[in-house]
């Protein structure tokens, strides 16, 4: 196994960082690594906003659900889907391409583009000995996040990555079994097999929690997921996304 | 610079592969690397379908716009947004969570999750000396792709990665300048600065093509983008996505 793959397999989320800031050089390397990811038809439909202002970090931490480690040390990179760049390009070329820019297809492209870049950024940071955590919580209150970061129409903050020197040890969580996530030639057609695989995974996750909590916690993956999905989070998203001119047409 | 970042910066798309198949071990490592990526609230909302059947590969290559290198050697990994897993989990837990599963928010989560995993897969393959190319072309004719791969409702094929031993040398394409993609504390508010940065980038891209084509090609990035966006590709997407029960509510 080479050390690129080793770095990946060694990933765990880190939510507590030492009081040591990233250098400008490190930030630049992380962003350039992000940009090296593939991009659909060279569209580069994302932007990254780094937060260094302490007041702004504090406010963002509050908006993301009072996640104090976002406010404290660690550098915050906010990843945004960005088709504003292409709107400006269209003005420069004297064309109107709003039909494309407001299509569900291009919404998908910009999300995928941003996520490919983000994963390179996350891994680049980890390869430097930093710990990282993705913060989807910024989607709790996007109108306020957009106001804070002054993003124009056609720019949509998606999530943040916080990166810093780890000040905690966390464990690697086991993923769904290989044969459940990877299908050959066609998707698994047998629902009973599919359910058995999830039961198998439930046992793995349940054992994982038991071992780490002296048997106090033993929830399964399916129970955890359905508990989370039952909460119906962020149902304002469609209206908000369309309001930012990602029109889902 | 460490060799994780070196592998990233060395990325270029490869579209011609030697006639040497990936081993099962390589495929398993690539998938496990993919699974190590972060996942929103542990949701793991994606699946990967590997295509080994020669007829199926040929058909997929046709559907992706007659990209013959997809049909030939190189392993095809199709990445799918997947909330079917959570639908089955809901049945196992005796709950109805369709409001969540049909929300724009969870559509976004599943796309981001799939893309984070894919970028790990791509980089893992490259770290093994393989070349890769993302194939967004499978979105040209998704109804046929879904039929070919027999994906159920709430599973949406997004793109493929083809990976194999490189049989061509390709160049690294320069990305938009650092100060254009990376903002500090707030998005660039000055439209003139923003346009100047794009002009600057246009010059870089134009020189890049001129150098490689003996001055025959000299298009700028903005011209290339607006040419592409003017084509209004895949406008069927909204209806199709909703038909697959990603309801964008």
């Amino acid at each position: 196994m080479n050390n690129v793959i080793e770095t990946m397999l060694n990933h765990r989320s880190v939510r507590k960082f030492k009081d040591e800031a990233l250098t400008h050089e490190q930030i630049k390397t992380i962003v350039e690594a992000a940009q090296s990811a593939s991009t659909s038809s060279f569209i580069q439909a994302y932007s990254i906003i780094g937060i260094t202002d302490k007041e702004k970090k504090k406010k963002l931490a509050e908006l993301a659900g009072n996640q104090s480690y976002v406010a404290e040390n660690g550098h915050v990179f906010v990843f945004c889907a960005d088709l504003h760049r292409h709107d400006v390009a269209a003005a420069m070329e004297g064309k109107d391409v709003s039909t494309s820019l407001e299509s569900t297809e291009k919404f998908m492209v910009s999300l995928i583009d941003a996520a490919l870049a983000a994963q390179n950024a996350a891994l680049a940071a980890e390869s430097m000995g930093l710990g990282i955590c993705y913060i989807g919580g910024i989607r709790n209150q996007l109108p306020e996040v957009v106001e804070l970061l002054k993003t124009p129409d056609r720019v949509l903050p998606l999530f943040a990555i916080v990166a810093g020197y780890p000040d905690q040890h966390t464990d690697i969580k086991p993923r769904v079994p290989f044969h459940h996530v990877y299908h050959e030639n066609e998707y698994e057609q047998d629902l009973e097999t599919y359910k058995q695989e999830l039961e198998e995974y439930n046992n793995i996750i349940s054992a994982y929690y038991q071992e780490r909590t002296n048997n106090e916690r033993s929830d399964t993956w399916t129970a955890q997921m359905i508990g989370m999905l039952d909460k119906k989070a962020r149902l304002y998203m469609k209206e908000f996304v369309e309001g930012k001119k990602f029109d889902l047409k």
Side-chain angles (χ1 to χ4, degrees), chain A:
Chain A
M1 185 180 306
N2 65 56
N3 76 344
V4 175
I5 292 167
E6 225 167 85
T7 305
M8 290 177 191
L9 297 184
N10 198 35
H11 165 71
R12 68 281 307 281
S13 291
V14 174
R15 293 187 179 82
K16 193 163 185 277
F17 304 105
K18 291 180 186 155
D19 194 15
E20 186 181 344
L22 270 60
T23 64
H24 176 72
E25 174 100 20
Q26 282 176 312
I27 293 168
K28 197 156 184 278
T29 301
I30 289 170
V31 170
E32 283 170 354
Q35 289 193 271
S36 294
S38 292
T39 161
S40 175
S41 303
F42 207 33
I43 194 171
Q44 306 178 74
Y46 61 90
S47 281
I48 307 168
I49 306 177
I51 316 295
T52 52
D53 180 277
K54 278 198 188 310
E55 276 310 302
K56 217 163 241 201
K57 272 180 83 173
K58 207 177 141 204
K59 181 78 183 147
L60 195 68
E62 282 167 25
L63 293 173
N66 285 316
Q67 305 206 38
S68 62
Y69 67 100
V70 176
E72 291 159 14
N73 23 46
H75 191 78
V76 177
F77 298 89
V78 179
F79 281 79
C80 308
D82 188 343
L83 293 171
H84 169 68
R85 181 170 295 132
H86 308 82
D87 217 9
V88 174
M92 286 163 71
E93 299 292 328
K95 281 261 191 188
D96 176 4
V97 294
S98 50
T99 303
S100 269
L101 296 180
E102 291 165 13
S103 65
T104 297
E105 159 70 11
K106 288 298 175 286
F107 176 66
M108 291 166 67
V109 161
S110 62
L111 261 63
I112 293 168
D113 244 42
L116 298 182
Q119 186 53 21
N120 261 16
L123 203 70
E126 290 178 323
S127 78
M128 296 170 174
L130 303 170
I132 67 106
C133 188
Y134 279 81
I135 316 286
I138 68 162
R139 291 198 306 283
N140 287 346
Q141 297 182 68
L142 271 185
E144 290 80 3
V145 171
V146 158
E147 202 180 317
L148 191 71
L149 306 181
K150 298 189 183 172
T151 51
D153 281 351
R154 304 201 203 278
V155 174
L156 186 67
L158 296 172
F159 51 80
I161 293 176
V162 185
Y165 291 90
D167 198 20
Q168 66 175 173
H169 177 80
T170 45
D171 286 322
I172 299 171
K173 269 161 120 180
R175 292 350 199 200
V176 295
F178 171 77
H179 52 275
H180 185 69
V181 81
Y182 184 74
H183 309 252
E184 209 168 299
N185 290 315
E186 61 181 40
Y187 199 90
E188 175 63 58
Q189 298 295 303
D190 180 3
L191 194 58
E192 281 315 305
T193 303
Y194 198 87
K195 278 185 190 166
Q196 274 163 26
E197 288 166 351
L198 285 178
E199 294 285 9
E200 178 193 332
Y201 184 49
N202 274 344
N203 292 336
I204 294 168
I205 289 298
S206 190
Y208 171 88
Y209 287 126
Q210 275 174 13
E211 205 181 301
R212 274 153 194 82
T213 61
N214 209 5
N215 291 327
E216 277 179 28
R217 183 177 176 183
S218 66
D219 49 338
T220 63
W221 183 77
T222 56
Q224 199 181 112
M225 285 306 108
I226 300 317
M228 184 260 289
L229 293 166
D230 201 31
K231 280 182 197 145
K232 303 182 179 116
R234 305 169 190 158
L235 295 185
Y236 76 100
M237 194 58 73
K238 177 194 173 70
E239 197 182 335
F240 179 74
V241 165
E242 293 192 336
K244 297 309 290 177
K245 292 202 178 175
F246 286 89
D247 270 349
L248 308 182
K249 278 176 195 157

